[in-house]
């Protein structure tokens, strides 16, 4: 119990006001609702409203047509079409699919509509480092479809012999000859890197205001041609270690320690059980000597867009990730650049095998980056999370979990990638065990006019498993529309920056309070009490620019029918899943 002052003013008022505006009674009374039902307050971050209104107000859908200033570098990402009219044959394909299961671009029928239920991961079925709401779908599904999706990791090139060599999909994704890479457009302006995302998947009938439900039925590690599965964790400079420094002075500040892991199966079930470290190497020292490649084109059309979304990147000065990489004699040397898509194996002389057998990491397969395209009409980085999903990096998005995403564009445009074999809350090194996974999913569409009660207020990604409801909050719930120059400022500290855990806590606190009041018919005072006693607020990640905090609401608290059989709450779910054991 905290110490209380004699004037009964909470102690945090005396200390916390140095960094955030405090809520006084006058400020609380200033909360009001606009005509469209949006809560407003002079405080900006801290909001509270009457309980009666909070139970019934549906969060307004963001204005999806107003241009967003400074969303991207207009000299590099160039829209060659200004129309947003639907320009693909998808609606007719959805008509053809009525009563069927799903169809993918792996095959097509006589009408040109995609067919099949497996979405492979290759250069034609994914997008590297960006979201774009005007991409042609890689798969089309109807409501209640069950599909299989391959999710190759963008880190396969960091331990190529173990994680990519001989895999047809990865060989295709990473293909690079003297004429350039097979996937030259990487990142929102075509000149950086980021996550390889499988998709997008078009959900027939999905419209802005709807919610798409994604049930994760199964995940398995993707085996290499030798039948083994590997992953890698790298301590990149965005990790928390780089904010506080090393405690051992002999470690250079530029050191990027990478550890390669092998998945070990349970001999009885055959399922992956844990990760065993194989060797460690300093990726920064090796990457100083990147090999040269054929040149990336100075300009290139964005692949697989609709006619309405036709775009191209323009890079006349050959700058990649802020580093000038000139094309000389039709070759480029990528020393120190931020461009992605290279393959290499750490040479023996820099491998450290002392880590092998020293520890084990529990198997915790989950999807780090999954969601729907935001309706902004431009390519958007895959690094931060946002209103419709993205890079949540929540270790609980695993087998048995169900995700709910608010829809902003027709068809939803679901993509998934950045899979992890394990990760803890915080993801403090910068990455989890980055690995390729194959998954099975059920896709369910909830229409705006018939949303179940639990989905009526969500304008953020929500997770549900057997035991809990988990809400996600970020420094900026909708950073693309909330801050100027969003794709730059979201990586910064301070005002209008995304590295702000105080702001993220305010976001998730407000979301959780509104969710409890609306769904369980309780007063605001009771909700505040429950949140302090039965709801955990945990840091999701501190490395994805738009930092995240999630709240974990045990269903048991409100499930009176379970109290007799289970008189107290027992957290028995395996980390990263919704099951107590694997099948």
């Amino acid at each position: 119990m905290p110490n209380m002052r004699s004037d009964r003013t909470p102690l945090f008022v005396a200390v916390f006001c140095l960094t955030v505006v405090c809520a006084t009674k006058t400020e609380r009374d200033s909360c009001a609702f606009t005509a469209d039902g949006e809560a407003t307050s002079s405080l900006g971050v801290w909001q509270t409203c009457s309980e009666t209104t909070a139970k019934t107000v549906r969060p307004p859908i963001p204005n999806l047509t107003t241009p967003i200033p400074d969303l991207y570098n207009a000299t590099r990402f160039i829209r060659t079409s200004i129309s947003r009219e639907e320009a693909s044959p998808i609606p007719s394909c959805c008509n053809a699919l009525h009563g069927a299961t799903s169809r993918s671009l792996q095959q097509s029928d006589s009408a040109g509509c995609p067919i099949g239920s497996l979405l492979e991961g290759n250069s034609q079925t994914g997008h590297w480092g960006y979201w774009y709401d005007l991409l042609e779908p890689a798969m089309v599904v109807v409501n209640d479809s069950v599909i299989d999706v391959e999710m190759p990791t963008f880190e396969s090139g960091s331990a190529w012999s173990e994680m990519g060599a001989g895999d047809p999909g990865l060989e295709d994704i990473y293909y690079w000859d003297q004429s350039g890479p097979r996937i030259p457009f990487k990142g929102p302006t075509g000149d950086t890197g980021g996550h390889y995302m499988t998709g997008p998947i078009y959900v027939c009938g999905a419209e802005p205001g709807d919610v798409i439900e994604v049930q994760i039925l199964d995940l398995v590690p993707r085996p290499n041609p030798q039948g083994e599965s590997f992953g890698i964790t790298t301590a990149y400079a965005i990790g928390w270690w780089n904010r506080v420094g090393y405690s051992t002075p002999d470690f250079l500040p530029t050191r990027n320690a990478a550890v390669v892991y092998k998945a070990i199966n349970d001999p009885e079930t055959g399922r992956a059980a844990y990760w065993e470290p194989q060797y460690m190497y300093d990726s920064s020292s090796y990457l100083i000597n990147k090999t040269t490649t054929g040149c990336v084109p100075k300009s290139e059309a964005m692949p697989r867009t609709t006619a309405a979304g036709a775009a191209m990147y323009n890079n006349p000065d050959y700058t990649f990730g802020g580093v000038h990489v000139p094309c000389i004699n039709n070759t480029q040397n990528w020393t120190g650049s931020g461009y992605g898509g290279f393959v290499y194996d750490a040479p023996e002389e820099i491998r450290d095998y002392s880590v092998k057998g020293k520890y084990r990491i529990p198997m915790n397969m989950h999807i780090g980056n999954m969601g729907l395209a935001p309706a902004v009409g431009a390519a958007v980085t895959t690094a931060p999370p946002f209103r419709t999903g993205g890079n949540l990096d929540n270790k609980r998005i695993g087998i048995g979990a169900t995700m709910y995403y608010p829809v902003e564009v027709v068809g939803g445009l679901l993509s998934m990638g950045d899979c992890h074999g394990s990760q803890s809350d915080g993801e403090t090194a910068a990455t989890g065990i980055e690995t390729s996974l194959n998954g099975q999913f059920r896709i369910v569409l909830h229409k705006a006019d018939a949303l179940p009660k639990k989905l009526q207020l969500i304008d953020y990604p929500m997770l549900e498993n057997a035991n809990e409801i988990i809400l996600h909050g970020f420094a900026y719930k909708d950073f693309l529309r909330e801050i100027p120059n969003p794709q730059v400022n979201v990586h910064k500290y301070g005002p209008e920056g995304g590295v702000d855990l105080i702001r993220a806590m305010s976001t998730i606190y407000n979301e959780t309070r509104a969710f409890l009041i609306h769904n369980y018919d309780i007063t605001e005072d009771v909700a505040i009490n429950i949140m302090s006693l039965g709801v955990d607020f945990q840091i999701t990640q501190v490395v994805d620019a738009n930092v995240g905090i999630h709240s974990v609401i045990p269903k048991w608290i409100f499930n009176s029918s379970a109290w007799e059989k289970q008189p107290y709450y027992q957290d028995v779910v395996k980390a990263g899943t919704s099951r107590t054991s694997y099948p």
Side-chain angles (χ1 to χ4, degrees):
M1 177 178 178
N3 294 325
M4 299 299 291
R5 289 151 49 101
S6 59
D7 61 0
R8 303 187 65 80
T9 301
L11 184 61
F12 75 82
V13 173
V15 179
F16 219 52
C17 282
L18 295 174
T19 54
V20 295
V21 179
C22 298
T24 65
K25 181 180 186 300
T26 301
E27 289 164 333
R28 289 198 300 269
D29 292 344
S30 71
C31 182
F33 280 86
T34 61
D36 62 1
E38 182 175 6
T40 62
S41 169
S42 59
L43 299 176
V45 175
W46 193 95
Q47 296 177 351
T48 185
C49 303
S50 71
E51 296 155 13
T52 302
T53 310
K55 292 179 182 179
T56 57
V57 169
R58 174 88 171 105
I61 300 173
N63 188 327
L64 306 181
T65 58
T66 302
I68 300 174
D70 302 321
L71 182 61
Y72 56 89
N73 185 331
T75 64
R76 290 186 176 271
F77 178 84
I78 303 171
R79 280 280 300 277
T80 55
S81 171
I82 60 172
S83 170
R84 283 192 61 91
E85 294 299 319
E86 182 64 52
S88 78
I90 297 305
S92 61
C93 292
C94 287
N95 292 335
L97 272 169
H98 183 69
T101 54
S102 62
R103 306 190 179 206
S104 76
L105 292 183
Q106 310 302 314
Q107 307 170 33
S108 60
D109 61 17
S110 59
C113 292
I115 61 175
S117 58
L118 168 65
L119 181 56
E120 298 177 356
N122 57 49
S123 65
Q124 301 302 307
T125 58
H127 42 106
W128 196 322
Y130 60 90
W131 300 86
Y132 188 37
D133 55 324
L134 294 167
L135 286 178
E136 281 281 10
M139 174 177 268
V140 180
V141 300
V142 294
N143 182 38
D144 204 28
S145 291
V146 175
I147 58 175
D148 296 302
V149 181
E150 298 178 351
M151 296 167 285
T153 177
F154 70 106
E155 288 279 11
S156 298
S158 302
W160 185 244
S161 291
E162 293 94 346
M163 297 177 62
D167 182 308
L170 283 161
E171 293 272 10
D172 180 51
I173 290 169
Y174 277 88
Y175 183 82
W176 196 326
D177 62 14
Q178 200 58 33
S179 64
R182 184 158 287 170
I183 304 180
F185 201 111
K186 299 183 177 78
T189 52
D191 59 354
T192 53
H195 312 91
Y196 171 88
M197 306 290 292
T198 308
I201 299 167
Y202 187 106
V203 180
C204 293
E207 300 173 297
D210 297 344
V211 173
I212 288 178
E213 171 185 339
V214 182
Q215 301 172 18
I216 305 175
L217 305 180
D218 200 9
L219 296 171
V220 295
R222 184 181 180 95
N224 62 19
Q226 292 74 44
E228 298 175 320
S229 299
F230 291 84
I232 188 169
T233 298
T234 305
Y236 290 119
I238 60 172
W240 205 257
W241 62 269
N242 197 39
R243 305 182 195 277
V244 301
Y246 275 113
S247 62
T248 48
D250 55 321
F251 274 34
L252 297 176
T254 57
R255 181 178 175 89
N256 287 343
V259 181
V260 176
Y261 291 88
K262 180 180 180 180
I264 307 299
N265 293 339
D266 184 315
E268 295 184 2
T269 66
R271 299 280 301 194
Y274 61 89
W275 293 94
E276 181 182 81
Q278 302 298 295
Y279 61 88
M280 180 172 65
Y281 71 95
D282 181 359
S283 64
S284 61
S285 65
Y286 178 58
L287 291 179
I288 290 174
N289 301 307
K290 280 184 180 176
T291 57
T292 59
T293 67
C295 293
V296 175
K298 283 188 175 183
S299 62
E300 184 82 5
M302 176 182 275
R304 297 177 39 234
T305 67
T306 65
M312 63 182 297
Y313 76 85
N314 183 42
N315 193 0
D317 56 356
Y318 277 127
T319 300
F320 298 86
V323 177
H324 180 53
V325 186
C327 178
I328 302 174
N329 297 325
N330 201 33
T331 60
Q332 288 176 286
N333 185 300
W334 296 96
T335 300
S337 83
Y339 194 65
F342 309 103
V343 301
Y344 54 87
D345 288 303
E348 280 296 323
E349 58 266 25
I350 70 168
R351 295 191 184 195
D352 178 359
Y353 290 97
S354 67
V355 297
K356 187 175 175 66
K358 276 198 170 182
Y359 60 93
R360 293 178 178 179
I361 299 296
M363 185 61 59
N364 176 12
M365 291 177 288
H366 59 278
I367 303 171
N369 201 331
M370 180 165 65
L372 310 179
V376 293
V380 174
T381 172
T382 57
F386 43 77
R387 180 180 180 270
T388 56
N391 199 23
L392 299 182
D393 278 334
N394 189 332
K395 68 178 186 178
R396 296 156 187 83
I397 307 177
I399 300 170
T402 295
M403 291 299 300
Y404 301 94
Y405 301 104
V407 176
E408 288 191 3
V409 301
V410 173
L413 298 186
L414 169 70
S415 296
M416 54 192 71
D418 183 33
C419 292
H420 299 163
S422 189
Q423 179 210 296
S424 57
D425 282 333
E427 198 184 18
T428 53
T431 67
I433 296 182
E434 309 293 322
T435 193
S436 299
L437 298 179
N438 297 333
Q440 186 173 79
F441 306 86
R442 174 175 281 110
I443 311 298
V444 178
L445 174 63
H446 298 275
K447 297 299 294 180
D449 59 358
L451 291 176
K453 189 173 185 179
K454 66 184 178 184
L455 301 183
Q456 290 173 359
L457 291 187
I458 71 163
D459 58 342
Y460 47 80
M462 187 177 89
L463 187 159
E464 182 176 16
N465 61 35
N467 291 343
E468 298 135 353
I469 297 286
I470 299 172
L471 312 183
H472 293 89
F474 322 117
Y476 288 90
K477 178 188 300 186
D478 195 7
F479 81 93
L480 292 166
R481 299 179 177 92
E482 290 183 273
I483 58 179
N485 198 8
Q487 303 212 64
V488 174
N489 287 338
V490 72
H491 295 273
K492 297 180 180 180
Y493 291 96
E496 298 180 337
V499 187
D500 188 341
L501 282 170
I502 297 297
R503 189 178 181 99
M505 183 62 202
S506 297
T507 301
I508 188 61
Y509 189 91
N510 289 335
E511 290 175 357
T512 305
R513 178 176 52 188
F515 183 88
L516 293 177
I517 292 171
H518 175 78
N519 284 279
Y520 300 109
D521 194 26
I522 57 177
T523 68
E524 181 173 11
D525 289 330
V526 172
I528 290 172
N529 200 278
I530 291 172
M531 288 162 66
S532 189
L533 303 177
V535 177
D536 282 333
F537 292 86
Q538 301 166 333
I539 295 176
T540 321
Q541 50 76 25
V542 294
V543 296
D544 295 335
N546 199 18
V547 295
I549 298 178
H550 59 270
S551 63
V552 182
I553 306 169
K555 296 180 180 179
W556 178 88
I557 292 177
F558 300 100
N559 186 6
S560 59
S561 62
W563 296 341
E564 185 174 344
K565 295 180 181 179
Q566 186 182 341
Y568 59 93
Y569 178 63
Q570 302 174 66
D571 185 5
V572 296
V573 174
K574 288 176 66 68
T577 78
S578 294
R579 298 178 175 179
T580 55
S581 63
Y582 287 121

